[in-house]
Amino acid sequence: MLLAEVTGSLNAIGYGIAALGPGIGVGLVFASYIQATARQPESAGLTRVYMFMGFAVIEALALLGLVIAFAV
């Protein structure tokens, strides 16, 4: 029985695992916005701002993980 050899960068594997968190976070942000808008449609304008702010913070963390994975 032969053991498979790992080829490639372990940093890429680490970032792939680290990207799961922001992916789940973005899904939760948009799901919460859709639910809030469905419950109270007149607040859509107010909650849209917070949705985009949450999206931006989550994506910034994902980009930070990418930079750290390949810079170290």
Side-chain angles (χ1 to χ4, degrees), residues 3-72:
L3 295 176
E5 183 178 328
V6 176
T7 59
S9 175
L10 290 177
N11 292 339
I13 295 170
Y15 176 68
I17 293 170
L20 291 174
I24 293 170
V26 167
L28 290 175
V29 165
F30 283 104
S32 296
Y33 171 73
I34 291 169
Q35 185 177 22
T37 304
R39 288 177 182 256
Q40 196 170 4
E42 62 270 8
S43 71
L46 179 65
T47 55
R48 186 178 301 123
V49 175
Y50 294 116
M51 176 192 66
F52 284 123
M53 286 175 49
F55 175 73
V57 169
I58 292 169
E59 286 300 316
L61 291 175
L63 291 174
L64 183 65
L66 178 68
V67 169
I68 290 174
F70 290 108
V72 175

